[in-house]
Amino acid sequence: MRYRKEHKQATRQRIIKTAGRRFKRDGIDASGISALMSDAGLTNGAFYTHFTSKDELVATAVADQLRAQNADIVEQAAPGRAGLEQIVRWYLSTQHRDSSDDGCPSAALLDEIRRCADPTRQAYTDGVLVVAEGIAARLAPDDPLSVRTKTLSTYAMMAGTLQLSRALADRQLADELLEQGIHNALALLGIEHGYATTAN
């Protein structure tokens, strides 16, 4: 029985991970249950063993993607302003731009999330606030709440810059846009003159 419970949890997590990747690649609306389950190596019938609806999976996958972004990027960054620079440079890197499947759910899905049901929007809000809090804690460690809106505004600017860079057919222009975005984000955070010149 213990094996079955662990196996079921592992299978559920596999569905969530593969769904998150497909949502970011193809969009939420364009990703049907059949394709999602095929990605996970499972049959359609197994879906309802783990989720009551596609909406539940979307909310769960969005939360999982933001949790992963926070754990893999924000929590791994150095403390203080050096960490802010690391986060900005990772986010606006050519690698991140060119790998949307593994990238930020905000840059890939914001337009669709705003049209999703309330549970998905709430899951997104909760997740993005955790990311924002990790950034704010480096910007104003004594009072991170005082810079939460500034942090969210910077995050939104970075997401928009990444989206536009992905959409441009001119690769050189897209790269220049990312570099300008790094300058802009660091300026918004008040550290434009303190960042290193390491490559993305």
Side-chain angles (χ1 to χ4, degrees), residues 21-115:
R21 288 174 58 83
R22 179 173 279 271
F23 289 153
K24 289 186 294 184
R25 185 178 69 241
D26 298 341
I28 294 169
D29 290 344
S31 301
I33 289 174
S34 178
L36 294 169
M37 295 303 282
S38 177
D39 285 354
L42 298 164
T43 64
N44 290 5
F47 178 84
Y48 293 100
T49 303
H50 302 279
F51 301 97
T52 59
S53 65
K54 182 182 171 184
D55 285 347
E56 183 189 354
L57 173 58
V58 171
T60 305
V62 165
D64 182 73
Q65 289 288 317
L66 286 164
R67 188 167 35 251
Q69 183 180 30
N70 189 60
D72 297 343
I73 307 304
V74 179
E75 289 181 357
Q76 300 301 316
R81 296 191 171 214
L84 291 174
E85 180 184 342
Q86 287 176 338
I87 293 166
V88 168
R89 285 184 172 278
W90 168 81
Y91 197 98
L92 294 173
S93 67
T94 54
Q95 293 158 297
H96 187 202
R97 193 252 331 268
D98 297 340
S99 57
S100 58
D101 291 18
D102 298 314
C104 174
S106 299
L109 297 172
L110 265 184
D111 190 52
E112 286 191 277
I113 288 171
R114 75 176 177 84
R115 295 192 299 268

Side-chain angles (χ1 to χ4, degrees), residues 125-126 128-137 139-140 143-155 189:
T125 300
D126 294 344
V128 83
L129 285 177
V130 171
V131 173
E133 284 160 11
I135 297 170
L139 185 60
D143 188 11
L145 197 58
S146 69
V147 293
R148 183 168 75 168
T149 304
K150 176 192 265 191
T151 299
L152 283 170
S153 178
T154 305
Y155 184 84
L189 294 171

